[in-house]
């Protein structure tokens, strides 16, 4: 059980690192400084929310598989 919790924490940290690396590079230009920042922030927020939802689904499916194997054995 502790191994499961440790693996989940590692996956959560890895997902956070991937998210920060991928989203931080997004920038918009051509609309003015304030509008560029606003548009880029909205895009980053939407991507981050979608990524978090997808990561929760992946971790939930992984959890279900692990517990299903434990119940069967």
């Amino acid at each position: 059980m502790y191994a499961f919790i440790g693996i989940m924490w590692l996956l959560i940290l890895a997902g956070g690192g991937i998210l920060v690396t991928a989203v931080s590079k997004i920038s918009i230009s051509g609309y003015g400084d304030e509008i560029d920042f606003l548009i880029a922030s909205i895009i980053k927020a939407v991507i981050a929310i979608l990524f978090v939802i997808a990561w929760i689904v992946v971790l939930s499916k992984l959890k279900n598989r692990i517990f299903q194997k434990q119940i069967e054995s």
Side-chain angles (χ1 to χ4, degrees):
M1 184 66 168
Y2 290 115
F4 168 73
I5 294 171
I7 290 170
M8 288 302 233
W9 271 107
L10 287 175
L11 289 173
I12 290 169
L13 292 172
I18 292 168
L19 181 62
V20 168
T21 303
V23 171
S24 66
K25 296 179 181 179
I26 295 173
S27 64
I28 304 293
S29 61
Y31 299 103
D33 289 337
E34 291 180 16
I35 302 296
D36 290 346
F37 180 73
L38 180 64
I39 293 171
S41 295
I42 291 170
I43 291 171
K44 288 177 184 181
V46 169
I47 290 172
I49 290 168
L50 292 175
F51 190 81
V52 167
I53 290 170
W55 202 242
I56 289 170
V57 169
V58 167
L59 292 176
S60 177
K61 289 185 185 265
L62 180 64
K63 173 191 63 99
N64 290 340
R65 279 194 185 160
I66 290 172
F67 284 127
Q68 198 62 250
K69 287 181 182 179
Q70 287 182 352
I71 289 172
E72 290 174 359
S73 61

